[in-house]
Amino acid sequence: MWYGIAGSLILSVLLIRLRWVYVPLYKVEPGVRNTAAKLLLAFAVMAPVKVANMILGGGVVRSGGKTASIMVIDIVGTWLIGVPLGLTTAFLFQLPIEWVYFTLSQEELIRLGMTLIVFKRKGWMNRLSASES
Protein backbone atom coordinates (compact mmCIF):
# COMPACT_ATOMS: atom_id res chain seq x y z
CA MET A 1 0.00 0.00 0.00
CA TRP A 2 2.79 2.40 0.91
CA TYR A 3 4.56 1.84 -2.41
CA GLY A 4 1.35 2.67 -4.27
CA ILE A 5 0.82 5.87 -2.33
CA ALA A 6 4.49 6.86 -2.69
CA GLY A 7 4.35 6.21 -6.43
CA SER A 8 1.18 8.24 -6.81
CA LEU A 9 2.73 11.11 -4.84
CA ILE A 10 5.76 11.11 -7.14
CA LEU A 11 3.57 11.03 -10.25
CA SER A 12 1.35 13.77 -8.82
CA VAL A 13 4.32 16.05 -8.22
CA LEU A 14 5.59 15.36 -11.74
CA LEU A 15 2.16 16.03 -13.22
CA ILE A 16 1.82 19.29 -11.32
CA ARG A 17 5.29 20.46 -12.35
CA LEU A 18 5.05 19.29 -15.98
CA ARG A 19 1.42 20.10 -16.78
CA TRP A 20 2.44 23.22 -18.72
CA VAL A 21 4.74 21.04 -20.84
CA TYR A 22 2.09 18.37 -21.41
CA VAL A 23 -0.98 20.51 -22.18
CA PRO A 24 0.58 22.50 -25.07
CA LEU A 25 1.20 19.23 -26.93
CA TYR A 26 -2.43 19.53 -27.99
CA LYS A 27 -3.23 22.26 -30.43
CA VAL A 28 -6.16 23.89 -28.66
CA GLU A 29 -7.20 27.41 -27.80
CA PRO A 30 -5.52 29.12 -24.82
CA GLY A 31 -8.74 28.95 -22.77
CA VAL A 32 -9.00 25.20 -23.28
CA ARG A 33 -5.30 24.83 -22.47
CA ASN A 34 -5.75 26.77 -19.23
CA THR A 35 -8.80 24.69 -18.21
CA ALA A 36 -6.95 21.46 -18.99
CA ALA A 37 -4.00 22.53 -16.84
CA LYS A 38 -6.34 23.33 -13.95
CA LEU A 39 -8.08 19.96 -14.34
CA LEU A 40 -4.71 18.19 -14.31
CA LEU A 41 -3.82 20.05 -11.13
CA ALA A 42 -7.09 18.97 -9.47
CA PHE A 43 -6.50 15.38 -10.62
CA ALA A 44 -2.91 15.37 -9.37
CA VAL A 45 -3.91 16.68 -5.95
CA MET A 46 -6.53 13.93 -5.51
CA ALA A 47 -4.58 11.09 -7.15
CA PRO A 48 -2.88 9.81 -3.96
CA VAL A 49 -6.27 9.57 -2.22
CA LYS A 50 -7.75 7.76 -5.23
CA VAL A 51 -4.83 5.32 -5.31
CA ALA A 52 -5.13 4.65 -1.57
CA ASN A 53 -8.83 3.90 -2.10
CA MET A 54 -8.10 1.56 -4.99
CA ILE A 55 -5.51 -0.36 -2.99
CA LEU A 56 -7.35 -0.45 0.33
CA GLY A 57 -10.97 -0.67 -0.77
CA GLY A 58 -10.59 -2.34 -4.11
CA GLY A 59 -7.87 -4.72 -3.04
CA VAL A 60 -7.01 -5.32 0.60
CA VAL A 61 -10.38 -5.07 2.36
CA ARG A 62 -12.34 -6.60 -0.51
CA SER A 63 -9.95 -9.54 -0.76
CA GLY A 64 -10.52 -10.22 2.94
CA GLY A 65 -14.17 -10.88 2.21
CA LYS A 66 -15.73 -7.54 3.17
CA THR A 67 -17.25 -6.97 -0.26
CA ALA A 68 -20.60 -5.81 1.17
CA SER A 69 -18.87 -3.16 3.30
CA ILE A 70 -16.96 -1.82 0.31
CA MET A 71 -20.16 -1.80 -1.75
CA VAL A 72 -21.89 0.32 0.91
CA ILE A 73 -18.87 2.65 1.09
CA ASP A 74 -18.92 3.02 -2.71
CA ILE A 75 -22.68 3.70 -2.79
CA VAL A 76 -22.48 6.25 0.03
CA GLY A 77 -19.45 7.92 -1.55
CA THR A 78 -21.02 8.15 -4.97
CA TRP A 79 -24.70 8.81 -4.32
CA LEU A 80 -24.70 10.61 -0.98
CA ILE A 81 -21.48 12.61 -1.35
CA GLY A 82 -20.14 12.79 -4.92
CA VAL A 83 -23.29 13.27 -7.00
CA PRO A 84 -24.86 15.88 -4.68
CA LEU A 85 -21.56 17.79 -4.47
CA GLY A 86 -21.14 17.69 -8.25
CA LEU A 87 -24.70 18.81 -8.94
CA THR A 88 -24.54 21.55 -6.30
CA THR A 89 -21.25 23.01 -7.50
CA ALA A 90 -22.20 22.76 -11.18
CA PHE A 91 -25.80 23.91 -11.17
CA LEU A 92 -26.41 25.78 -7.93
CA PHE A 93 -23.07 27.59 -7.58
CA GLN A 94 -22.23 27.41 -11.31
CA LEU A 95 -18.53 26.96 -10.62
CA PRO A 96 -16.01 26.28 -13.41
CA ILE A 97 -15.44 22.66 -14.44
CA GLU A 98 -12.14 22.35 -12.58
CA TRP A 99 -13.86 23.27 -9.30
CA VAL A 100 -16.75 20.93 -10.01
CA TYR A 101 -14.29 18.09 -10.63
CA PHE A 102 -12.21 18.90 -7.54
CA THR A 103 -15.30 19.19 -5.33
CA LEU A 104 -16.77 15.99 -6.76
CA SER A 105 -13.49 14.23 -6.02
CA GLN A 106 -13.88 14.97 -2.31
CA GLU A 107 -16.02 11.84 -2.14
CA GLU A 108 -12.71 9.96 -2.28
CA LEU A 109 -11.72 11.47 1.08
CA ILE A 110 -14.98 10.26 2.64
CA ARG A 111 -14.51 6.80 1.11
CA LEU A 112 -10.94 6.64 2.38
CA GLY A 113 -12.04 7.61 5.87
CA MET A 114 -14.74 4.93 5.95
CA THR A 115 -12.42 2.31 4.45
CA LEU A 116 -9.70 3.12 7.00
CA ILE A 117 -12.20 2.55 9.80
CA VAL A 118 -13.07 -0.88 8.37
CA PHE A 119 -9.38 -1.63 7.80
CA LYS A 120 -8.23 -0.65 11.30
CA ARG A 121 -10.96 -2.72 12.97
CA LYS A 122 -9.47 -5.76 11.22
CA GLY A 123 -12.91 -7.30 10.80
CA TRP A 124 -12.11 -7.71 7.12
CA MET A 125 -9.53 -10.39 7.91
CA ASN A 126 -11.77 -13.38 7.25
CA ARG A 127 -10.50 -16.87 6.66
CA LEU A 128 -11.82 -17.73 3.23
CA SER A 129 -10.92 -21.42 3.36
CA ALA A 130 -10.27 -23.86 6.13
CA SER A 131 -6.66 -24.92 6.44
CA GLU A 132 -5.98 -28.60 6.64
CA SER A 133 -3.31 -29.93 9.01
Side-chain angles (χ1 to χ4, degrees):
M1 184 172 85
W2 294 115
Y3 289 129
I5 293 170
S8 68
L9 283 169
I10 291 167
L11 290 174
S12 289
V13 169
L14 285 171
L15 187 56
I16 290 168
R17 295 187 59 92
L18 298 174
R19 72 184 188 274
W20 289 110
V21 174
Y22 173 71
V23 172
L25 295 174
Y26 298 94
K27 303 297 181 216
V28 293
E29 299 167 4
V32 174
R33 194 174 298 146
N34 192 31
T35 299
K38 289 176 184 176
L39 282 167
L40 282 173
L41 175 62
F43 173 80
V45 167
M46 293 305 299
V49 177
K50 289 177 184 267
V51 168
N53 275 337
M54 285 187 270
I55 294 169
L56 251 160
V60 175
V61 175
R62 189 170 287 165
S63 68
K66 285 290 188 182
T67 56
S69 298
I70 296 302
M71 181 187 71
V72 169
I73 290 170
D74 287 344
I75 289 170
V76 167
T78 300
W79 296 105
L80 297 181
I81 309 297
V83 170
L85 281 175
L87 291 172
T88 302
T89 54
F91 297 112
L92 184 63
F93 297 127
Q94 297 181 350
L95 294 177
I97 186 69
E98 59 272 10
W99 283 105
V100 173
Y101 175 76
F102 182 73
T103 305
L104 177 87
S105 295
Q106 299 311 300
E107 77 178 271
E108 296 287 345
L109 288 171
I110 304 301
R111 284 183 190 190
L112 182 59
M114 291 189 295
T115 305
L116 281 170
I117 290 169
V118 172
F119 179 76
K120 287 184 184 245
R121 288 184 179 163
K122 297 185 181 181
W124 58 274
M125 293 181 179
N126 293 327
R127 183 177 303 253
L128 299 178
S129 65
S131 62
E132 296 181 28
S133 299

